[in-house]
Amino acid sequence: MATNWQEIEKKDYLRTFDRVPLTIVRGKGSRVWDDNGKEYLDFVGGWAVTNLGHCHPVVTRVINEQAKILLQTSNQFYTVPQLQLAELLIQHSCLHRVFFANSGAEANEGAVKLARRYGKLKLNGAYEVISATDSFHGRTLAMTAATGQLKFQEPYQPLPIGFKNVEYGNIEALKQATTNLTCAVMLELVQGESGVHTPAGGYFKAVRDWCNQTGVLLILDEIQTGLGRLGSLWGYEQFDIEPDIMTLAKGLANGVPIGAFLAKEKASVFVPGEHGSTFGGNPFACAVACATVKFIIEKNIAGNAKVKGNYFLNGLEKLKQQFPFITCIRGRGLLLAVEFNEDIGQAALTGCLEKGLLVNKVKPNALRFMPPLIINDGDVDEALDILGRVFKEIIIP
Ligand SMILES: Cc1ncc(COP(=O)(O)O)c(C=O)c1O
């Protein structure tokens, strides 16, 4: 008899995740299989991580090769994959220096520490970071303070000081919150966890101008938007601005845990001993990230995300015309969401699951799609067909 893993989870695992009743045992490309052998089209992508799809041959090959060569040395020594990855990211971005961590939250922590050092040295001791309401920056205590959502903050108060949350998209609110204690502004270009939102008009350009005017650093959290997800290698290219610090994680090594923060030379103020990590930048994760990033760049995976994203968006727009309970389609590249006028996200997710499509219920009334960036027209057609059939069956209460 098959092991009931979901019962074991209920008994053994801390109750942190509201999981979908599906045990995934295998993946290949844009597909995964459950423990009963049923196949699913994966439009969750490990929460925007498996950009090249599951078990991509280039990724699997480097995992095998590097496992035979070297996994870990500590940062007491130089290692080749770390420095190859550093060169690759710096050559292909507007940033000048990099530090490798193990997750998104940890990358953001490092970015904030760097901004605080900058504040101490260059801004008369300024230490406050202004972030946005409805943002998501990770689950550590400091990143919980940066994450402008009460539901994440309330259970853990008191939170570390030095964070202010202001309305996303409201430049006047940001200006009013800025004081001589402010060392940085930290923003997502598209807020994924809040349901895929991006401010209209020239908000980010105005933020960039304000940071230039005040001398405050601009940190862009590109953990979800970077590495091709929005249809360009970096999200900031689409908004015609450059960050002083950028953070990455998620798709950087296609599923092997790694995070990074990159900084312009002027913000690169750490001196030896001021930051560090045991695992961060280890040869294993860096070799996998190197192969992943190289493939993304050489094969123009961001271009595919743009084209397939537009194709999917057009299809979703057609569904919106067909189903009046769809109120909004939004997003860029392959980070898209559909919003409903009722809380039917769970019913839609369950229907998709039955018909073999994995989606993310990002809000009670919204689904988010973050498929691998290597999907083809057939995958999109299949997802649209399933969504159409699911929506047809949904009964509005
Ligand atoms: C924009 C953004 N920042 C930070 C994080 C945190 O990353 P991690 O879960 O790897 O700590 C996430 C995760 O969803 C994210 O979407």
Side-chain angles (χ1 to χ4, degrees), residues 315-329 338-341 344 384-394 396:
L316 291 172
E317 286 292 352
K318 282 187 196 133
L319 289 177
K320 180 170 176 270
Q321 284 157 21
Q322 231 176 306
F323 299 99
F325 55 79
I326 299 177
T327 52
C328 183
I329 308 291
V338 46
E339 191 172 280
F340 311 114
N341 63 2
I344 55 169
L384 288 167
D385 173 62
I386 292 175
L387 287 166
R389 286 190 283 130
V390 167
F391 293 158
K392 222 175 253 170
E393 285 171 11
I394 279 182
I396 294 290

Side-chain angles (χ1 to χ4, degrees), residues 130-239:
I130 303 176
S131 58
T133 50
D134 293 327
S135 59
F136 188 82
H137 296 296
R139 300 288 196 153
T140 59
L141 274 177
M143 286 312 110
T144 298
T147 291
Q149 300 192 50
L150 213 58
K151 71 170 182 197
F152 292 124
Q153 295 185 345
E154 209 137 59
Y156 300 105
Q157 273 157 0
L159 293 172
I161 60 159
F163 293 90
K164 271 185 188 168
N165 309 136
V166 302
E167 192 190 352
Y168 190 49
N170 182 341
I171 187 66
E172 289 313 315
L174 175 63
K175 287 183 177 178
Q176 272 168 29
T178 309
T179 68
N180 56 8
L181 292 181
T182 311
C183 69
V185 173
M186 180 157 143
L187 294 169
E188 295 154 273
L189 294 162
V190 177
Q191 289 185 334
E193 301 302 307
S194 82
V196 188
H197 291 98
T198 200
Y203 174 67
F204 288 107
K205 259 194 145 352
V207 172
R208 182 65 271 182
D209 289 347
W210 179 244
C211 289
N212 291 347
Q213 220 172 303
T214 53
V216 160
L217 297 177
L218 175 59
I219 304 171
L220 289 182
D221 176 341
E222 289 238 32
I223 286 163
Q224 193 158 143
T225 55
L227 293 153
R229 175 65 46 191
L230 297 189
S232 49
L233 186 58
W234 313 116
Y236 67 74
E237 296 169 61
Q238 297 189 24
F239 296 86

Side-chain angles (χ1 to χ4, degrees), residues 98-150:
V98 64
F99 181 93
F100 295 117
N102 305 290
S103 68
E106 211 189 297
N108 282 339
E109 286 272 344
V112 166
K113 281 177 76 181
L114 185 61
R116 280 200 177 188
R117 282 307 293 147
Y118 184 85
K120 245 197 174 92
L121 296 166
K122 313 267 178 170
L123 299 172
N124 300 314
Y127 61 87
E128 249 173 28
V129 173
I130 303 176
S131 58
T133 50
D134 293 327
S135 59
F136 188 82
H137 296 296
R139 300 288 196 153
T140 59
L141 274 177
M143 286 312 110
T144 298
T147 291
Q149 300 192 50
L150 213 58

Side-chain angles (χ1 to χ4, degrees), residues 344-355:
I344 55 169
Q346 187 58 45
L349 181 147
T350 303
C352 286
L353 205 59
E354 280 166 14
K355 293 178 173 39

Side-chain angles (χ1 to χ4, degrees), residues 208-287:
R208 182 65 271 182
D209 289 347
W210 179 244
C211 289
N212 291 347
Q213 220 172 303
T214 53
V216 160
L217 297 177
L218 175 59
I219 304 171
L220 289 182
D221 176 341
E222 289 238 32
I223 286 163
Q224 193 158 143
T225 55
L227 293 153
R229 175 65 46 191
L230 297 189
S232 49
L233 186 58
W234 313 116
Y236 67 74
E237 296 169 61
Q238 297 189 24
F239 296 86
D240 213 14
I241 57 162
E242 289 186 359
D244 300 304
I245 301 175
M246 171 170 81
T247 58
L248 302 174
K250 288 202 182 278
L252 188 50
N254 210 53
V256 170
I258 183 169
F261 59 98
L262 293 90
K264 291 265 191 184
E265 192 60 45
K266 78 156 188 182
S268 300
V269 294
F270 279 153
V271 296
E274 286 184 345
H275 194 54
S277 172
T278 294
F279 292 124
N282 70 70
F284 180 68
C286 289

Side-chain angles (χ1 to χ4, degrees), residues 36-51:
N36 293 312
K38 182 175 168 185
E39 181 180 318
Y40 300 82
L41 177 59
D42 182 5
F43 270 40
V44 175
W47 281 340
V49 168
T50 50
N51 288 359

